[in-house]
Amino acid sequence: QVQLQESGPGLVKPSETLSLTCTVSGYSISSGYHWGWIRQPPGKGLEWIGSIYHSGSTYYNPSLKSRVTISVDTSKNQFSLKLSSMTAADTAVYYCARDLDYGDSDYWGQGTLVTVSS
Amino acid sequence: QTVVTQEPSLTVSPGGTVTLTCASSTGAVTSGYYPNWFQQKPGQAPRALIYSTSNKHSWTPARFSGSLLGGKAALTLSGVQPEDEADYYCLLYYGGAQSHVVFGGGTKLTVL
């Protein structure tokens, strides 16, 4: 059974950089697929942030590209998100997910709420 | 910036049929956009229902089907059940030099 679990701070100060990690169990990241991040502001819709292929190729939301870095650590079976220059508009539940291809995300983490506030 | 548009809300009676649509600001949606559909219930992570226009995951109930309709991607629910009340999101793939995917704004489906 594939499982994903997000971890990271629940509170980030404005202008700081958010760092989140997704730990995958039940499947080896190095075996394939894309691994992505999606967020959802409270009461609003889903926004795709970006994804990384198991080989390390990255794909980013054009509107967030200048602030986003996604990386993978196959030795720990984890992938990570860094989002810089955080503002209140970045307050959201952040999900990690396995993307089979073209956005078909079959397994998701439970999500972690990140609040941006001083 | 690419915009993907869905009906904000729809209401359907139990046992009825409803179709949700997904349009792209770039023009007609084709199979090359690999439309995906997700269901999300309150407090839960989204769940994948349909991929590549019309393909179902092993857990997708038979009453859900995906298609292309009038230049849009469509999700049809036939024989709606009370547990189908949820938010539904489509997702389209945009290829090219900066390939990426975009979620629609979501449709809140009420079963009443």
Side-chain angles (χ1 to χ4, degrees), chain B residues 16 26 48 74:
Chain B
T26 60

Side-chain angles (χ1 to χ4, degrees), chain B residues 95-107:
Chain B
Q98 292 189 73
S99 58
H100 60 285
V101 294
V102 180
F103 281 101
T107 296

Side-chain angles (χ1 to χ4, degrees), chain B residues 77-88:
Chain B
L77 287 70
S78 304
V80 172
Q81 301 297 307
E83 60 265 30
D84 297 334
E85 183 163 296
D87 293 325
Y88 292 84

